[in-house]
Amino acid sequence: MAVIKLLICCLLLPAGCSLISSETDPGDAAVLCYLREHWHNTPASWSESDDPCGGSWEGVTCINSRVTGLYLSFNKELSGSIIPQIGALQNLETLVLEECSFTGTLPAELGNLEELSFLSLNGNNFTGEIPPSLGNLSKLTWLNLADNRLTGSIPVSTYRIPGLDLLHNLKHLVLSGNQLSGPIPQKLFSSNMVFNKILLSGNQLSGGIPLTIGLVQTLQTLFLGENSLAGKIPSNINNLTNLIALDMPNNRLSGPLPNLSGMNSLLRVELSNNSFEVSEAPAWFSTLPSLNILNIDNGPLCGLLPPTLFSLPDLAVVSLRNNAFNGTLLIGSNINQNILSVDLENNGISSISIDPVFKSKLK
């Protein structure tokens, strides 16, 4: 079988690629030669030999003659497309092509990389849809396709087609800064998922936030801003007690502000520029012990601003511009002296009684 494999690889080799005395598996060497042929401005070491492992090709890692990693990033001169042949790298565990100038669509053959655990293609110019075949990558823990020009919906599985909901080991899902559209699928989230980070901001997503988001109790970072999401934030959002950052600005969200009480790990809350129901400041303004950044500009808030907000021990930045707070703002000497900035511009606060040290930090 090894002889047959070698013969087939030799027949498929691109012109100018020789496997004589190669330390690299013949199939892997053939794929890398194809990449060299189709990519522009590859590292100089790629031209010095046809043996990626034995020739120490820059950005290529090998174990026992098999290519296990491909790392080529932060080089805007590096361009080309990801060719289908890449799916033949059967031992590839890591594929990192970040901040380059790659173009074209993502081939379905990426779903053949069964050993892949880390896939990061952010900061390129990829177009087309996210291949549903990525749902076959059962070992994947990191998927970053941010800042490309990807379109279409977020793929989830059907009876015959895989999808991202099958990635039960995935911890980081980063799809921000594309042109993805349609709703966030309910099926994307379940109690079987182990997400730490979900970044979907800066797309064209619509519809509501799925109720199933509250099932992913491992979640630490949730960024859904700069989309066209509408409707209420699910009430079970406060099931996410490990959440550190909640970011949903610049959508069309309505209903009441979410109840974040008990989410004691929250460092950052960004809910500006939505259409929430008019209400007084929620109780959690005074009870989140780790809160560092609070931003609800152009919000629904009215009544008195609770002075206890400014006593939270880790608070650094507060921006509540263009709300309807009124009355007297009372801030005593028990304030957090490490607060850096407070912006209350365009509210209806009639007077301020404030500790002199803190007053200098108000805008």
Side-chain angles (χ1 to χ4, degrees):
M1 289 298 294
V3 174
I4 294 173
K5 181 179 179 182
L6 178 60
L7 178 59
I8 293 173
C9 290
C10 289
L11 290 173
L12 296 177
L13 278 176
C17 188
S18 170
L19 300 183
I20 297 175
S21 302
S22 175
E23 292 184 17
T24 310
D25 173 84
D28 290 359
V31 173
L32 269 293
C33 285
Y34 270 112
L35 294 179
R36 182 179 62 185
E37 186 177 74
H38 286 81
W39 291 356
H40 307 289
N41 299 307
T42 53
S45 59
W46 286 36
S47 301
E48 294 172 358
S49 79
D50 295 329
D51 185 4
C53 298
S56 299
W57 282 22
E58 180 182 341
V60 178
T61 59
C62 302
I63 297 177
N64 296 328
S65 82
R66 301 307 302 265
V67 174
T68 58
L70 188 56
Y71 307 80
L72 294 169
S73 298
F74 303 101
N75 179 3
K76 288 300 182 181
E77 301 299 317
L78 181 60
S79 63
S81 61
I82 298 181
I83 56 176
Q85 288 89 337
I86 200 168
L89 294 174
Q90 297 177 358
N91 286 50
L92 194 68
E93 299 174 0
T94 303
L95 177 57
V96 179
L97 305 174
E98 298 178 347
E99 301 294 337
C100 297
S101 296
F102 289 103
T103 57
T105 59
L106 301 178
E109 287 79 3
L110 285 171
N112 296 337
L113 301 173
E114 296 181 355
E115 297 299 317
L116 201 67
S117 63
F118 197 104
L119 176 58
S120 192
L121 305 175
N122 57 290
N124 286 282
N125 295 298
F126 292 115
T127 55
E129 300 188 355
I130 299 172
S133 61
L134 296 184
N136 291 327
L137 304 177
S138 61
K139 296 184 179 180
L140 202 64
T141 63
W142 184 291
L143 176 59
N144 188 346
L145 304 177
D147 301 321
N148 283 285
R149 292 186 289 159
L150 299 172
T151 55
S153 59
I154 299 173
V156 292
S157 63
T158 63
Y159 176 68
R160 295 181 178 179
I161 302 173
L164 303 188
D165 57 300
L166 301 180
L167 301 178
H168 292 164
N169 289 308
L170 192 64
K171 295 183 178 180
H172 293 77
L173 176 62
V174 185
L175 305 177
S176 51
N178 282 287
Q179 300 167 27
L180 301 174
S181 58
I184 301 174
Q186 291 270 356
K187 197 173 184 179
L188 184 61
F189 310 115
S190 71
S191 58
N192 295 324
M193 308 304 282
V194 292
F195 288 122
N196 293 148
K197 179 185 294 184
I198 298 173
L199 274 65
L200 304 180
S201 53
N203 282 286
Q204 300 167 13
L205 299 170
S206 57
I209 298 173
L211 184 66
T212 50
I213 192 72
L215 300 175
V216 190
Q217 297 191 18
T218 54
L219 194 59
Q220 296 180 350
T221 302
L222 179 60
F223 280 23
L224 302 178
E226 291 80 45
N227 281 289
S228 296
L229 299 173
K232 298 179 180 179
I233 296 177
S235 59
N236 64 355
I237 195 79
N238 63 4
N239 288 350
L240 305 179
T241 54
N242 292 307
L243 204 65
I244 294 172
L246 177 65
D247 186 293
M248 299 181 179
N250 303 311
N251 280 290
R252 301 172 185 172
L253 297 171
S254 58
L257 282 172
N259 178 13
L260 306 182
S261 296
M263 300 178 69
N264 294 336
S265 298
L266 267 175
L267 302 177
R268 166 177 169 164
V269 176
E270 301 256 6
L271 297 171
S272 297
N273 301 312
N274 281 287
S275 301
F276 295 115
E277 294 175 358
V278 174
S279 68
E280 295 185 347
W284 55 263
F285 263 39
S286 303
T287 62
L288 297 180
S290 302
L291 191 62
N292 184 257
I293 297 173
L294 175 63
N295 189 335
I296 312 179
D297 292 338
N298 302 304
L301 299 167
C302 64
L304 298 176
L305 180 59
T308 45
L309 169 66
F310 303 105
S311 300
L312 295 176
D314 293 326
L315 195 65
V317 176
V318 176
S319 189
L320 298 170
R321 290 182 290 122
N322 300 316
N323 280 277
F325 288 115
N326 55 36
T328 299
L329 178 61
L330 300 171
I331 303 180
S333 58
N334 63 337
I335 61 171
N336 174 4
Q337 299 291 330
N338 295 316
I339 291 177
L340 300 175
S341 174
V342 177
D343 190 345
L344 302 176
E345 186 179 355
N346 293 333
N347 278 275
I349 296 171
S350 58
S351 61
I352 299 176
S353 176
I354 190 169
D355 183 273
V357 175
F358 186 72
K359 191 171 184 179
S360 64
K361 300 179 181 180
L362 277 171
K363 292 183 180 179

